[in-house]
Amino acid sequence: MHTKIEETLGPRYSTDCIRATWGGTGSVEDASRALGFSRAKGYDLIRSGQFPCRVLRIGRKTRVVTASLLRVLESGEPEYNDARAGCRPTP
């Protein structure tokens, strides 16, 4: 089943193509395009902890988890990365 975003962006960013060609992670630029926004907007969302997919920081590189991107594309539900939300002090 193809989403409206996939129809607009073409086959390069379809879930089938992502499954077939990406490894465990993908670039922020490609993930942002698959989600329908620019690379710059993608990095802005990462900085604010609101990128809709899980993101890994490996040294100076930032990578998007492919499985998370596919879940977001298929369900339309974000998987936010706000690390502060998971680091609350215990009482």
Side-chain angles (χ1 to χ4, degrees):
M1 180 168 90
H2 294 286
T3 65
K4 188 180 266 188
I5 291 173
E6 289 173 351
E7 291 170 8
T8 303
L9 294 172
R12 181 176 178 196
Y13 296 110
S14 71
T15 54
D16 292 336
C17 184
I18 291 170
R19 262 191 201 92
T21 59
W22 290 26
T25 63
S27 71
V28 173
E29 181 175 3
D30 284 339
S32 296
R33 290 245 187 243
L35 291 164
F37 44 82
S38 71
R39 174 184 172 275
K41 178 68 174 176
Y43 279 106
D44 286 343
L45 292 172
I46 288 170
R47 277 190 289 280
S48 68
Q50 295 181 337
F51 195 79
C53 306
R54 301 223 179 262
V55 174
L56 299 174
R57 293 182 195 267
I58 304 168
R60 294 183 56 148
K61 293 185 179 190
T62 303
R63 303 291 290 175
V64 176
V65 178
T66 303
S68 178
L69 173 64
L70 290 169
R71 283 191 297 271
V72 170
L73 288 173
E74 290 170 346
S75 72
E77 295 294 320
E79 297 180 356
Y80 289 112
N81 278 297
D82 193 355
R84 294 170 296 212
C87 299
R88 298 192 199 285
T90 55

